[in-house]
Amino acid sequence: MAAKPGIPKGTRDFSPVEMAKRNYIFNTIRDVYHLYGFQQIETPSMEMLSTLMGKYGEEGDKLLFKIQNSGDYFSGITDEELLSRNAAKLASKFCEKGLRYDLTVPFARYVVMHRDEITFPFKRYQIQPVWRADRPQKGRYREFYQCDADVVGSDSLLNEVELMQIVDTVFTRFGIRVCIKINNRKILTGIAEIIGEADKIVDITVAIDKLDKIGLDNVNKELAEKGISEEAIAKLQPIILLSGTNAEKLATLKTVLSGSETGLKGVEESEFILDTLQTMGLKNEIELDLTLARGLNYYTGAIFEVKALDVQIGSITGGGRYDNLTGVFGMAGVSGVGISFGADRIFDVLNQLELYPKEAVNGTQLLFINFGEKEAAFSMGILSKARAAGIRAEIFPDAAKMKKQMSYANVKNIPFVAIVGENEMNEGKAMLKNMESGEQQLVTAEELIGALTK
């Protein structure tokens, strides 16, 4: 007996309906990227391990899927090395390539390799799968898609403004109400400076980033455990709990951070972004949130995160400004800013809120019933005209029982069925049935097309 087939943990099959929903997400994001002048690139699924290793920290290196070399990969390895059972060392001998972990490092490699062909500023987007050898759990997969857009080779804050407009436009098109949260790494650095704990910037921000999850008392407890003084924690309280409008928060920060040049620079950048966006008429709320920290070893300026307001779920989009994207590959001084939409989480949100438009998930619009060779030949003529008019149409391939063909239409949620028998052929028409209302009408090919393209 053949073994039951399966797929690796952390991966998924997608049904036709699920693929229609996913394509709706990808196409919506792609269309908005195009509106703002972004151009699509793709990079290989696998990269050289030398490109990937050391770019994501020690933990990230462990999560890389490594690809075994073809041929005799034992050649050049001594018995002593084999017996040492040193997994990391052996992997470096067995594997030269790995599946990409994200789209950012491959993008940096792309920019360096194609620098002579690229016009800067370079506005690129990429919608491709990535792989991580993570422990699969709800909402976390080993294979998932990222939808990235980045502008590199420009320090202008207008790039940040436009990326926030893109976020607002995408979620408005989806019908998802969101709050766009914004902060700045320089503000966080300034806060650490003025409370006298500049060297503890990472510990401070990691702790305050958990405010929503664990509450203020536990944040303060974690800060104390990290060796931050009681005096510094006390100074931090009014900053963590800063409330009011964005303008009021900025005004307070100008006073609080008056002794930090870096902090004031972050306030200035945030003020420009928020003031400019205020004139753009965003449909969604944008909030200056000082507890937002996002990957501090990576970002250097503005940072963003997007939360859905009507569903309990983590961040559904994130991003920020980073300096020296390409420095790890020997091309220094290329600043950039980018965002990444979490397609899998957006998929879950749209499902929970039932926000998919009908036309996005419906496949075939019209099915021709097959009564036999003559009827099928007649139907094919109308079918060709319908397809030429942009109607998604098919004919049942076999002259099966009517019940079976109508059941096929119901299962596939096909809204219209065309019935062509001897009487219809004699009149040169087809009987068009609305599967939802049950109404039927005898129509010419032109009338049928008109009815379906209203």
Side-chain angles (χ1 to χ4, degrees), residues 19 25 27 101 165 193 212 290 303 306 349 366 398 430 433:
M19 277 311 304
I25 293 169
N27 291 338
Y101 179 91
Q165 286 181 281
E193 284 176 8
D212 287 346
L290 297 185
I303 45 181
V306 179
V349 171
L366 173 66
D398 307 301
K433 179 172 183 176

Side-chain angles (χ1 to χ4, degrees), residues 186-250:
K186 296 183 181 77
I187 290 176
L188 294 168
T189 301
I191 290 169
E193 284 176 8
I194 60 107
I195 65 169
E197 299 281 2
D199 59 330
K200 295 283 180 66
I201 173 69
V202 173
D203 290 334
I204 292 167
T205 49
V206 165
I208 65 175
D209 199 31
K210 299 174 185 173
L211 184 65
D212 287 346
K213 296 187 188 87
I214 64 175
L216 184 60
D217 290 343
N218 286 320
V219 166
N220 290 336
K221 184 181 173 186
E222 186 171 321
L223 290 167
E225 287 170 355
K226 294 292 183 183
I228 293 156
S229 70
E230 282 186 32
E231 184 186 355
I233 293 171
K235 285 181 181 176
L236 199 54
Q237 300 311 291
I239 300 169
I240 293 176
L241 300 171
L242 191 61
S243 60
T245 65
N246 292 332
E248 287 165 348
K249 289 177 186 175
L250 288 166

Side-chain angles (χ1 to χ4, degrees), residues 106-162:
F107 175 49
R109 190 264 311 148
Y110 177 94
V111 171
V112 172
M113 285 185 67
H114 298 271
R115 68 181 95 182
D116 295 332
E117 307 153 32
I118 290 172
T119 301
F120 292 100
F122 182 40
K123 301 172 78 169
R124 91 68 165 97
Y125 77 89
Q126 219 170 326
I127 300 175
Q128 287 186 275
V130 299
W131 294 268
R132 296 182 186 178
D134 214 342
R135 185 170 65 84
Q137 52 189 288
K138 184 175 169 57
R140 180 171 290 180
Y141 305 100
R142 286 176 169 168
E143 179 184 61
F144 56 96
Y145 268 76
Q146 289 187 338
C147 308
D148 287 16
D150 291 79
V151 186
V152 294
S154 168
D155 296 322
S156 171
L157 292 172
L158 287 179
N159 297 313
E160 278 85 338
V161 169
E162 289 210 325

Side-chain angles (χ1 to χ4, degrees), residues 17 358 361-367 392 406-417 435-436:
V17 170
K358 255 187 179 180
V361 293
N362 282 351
T364 303
Q365 296 167 276
L366 173 66
L367 172 71
R392 301 184 300 277
M406 295 300 273
S407 173
Y408 175 85
N410 282 323
V411 169
K412 287 190 70 176
N413 289 315
I414 299 172
F416 290 94
V417 164
M435 295 293 282
E436 192 174 332

Side-chain angles (χ1 to χ4, degrees), residues 49 52-53 56-66 98-102 130-136 140-142 144:
L49 272 180
L52 302 173
M53 294 290 284
Y56 308 105
E58 195 177 331
E59 281 306 303
D61 283 352
K62 290 176 185 174
L63 298 180
L64 286 170
F65 274 112
K66 299 172 181 70
L99 293 177
R100 60 168 173 255
Y101 179 91
D102 70 356
V130 299
W131 294 268
R132 296 182 186 178
D134 214 342
R135 185 170 65 84
R140 180 171 290 180
Y141 305 100
R142 286 176 169 168
F144 56 96

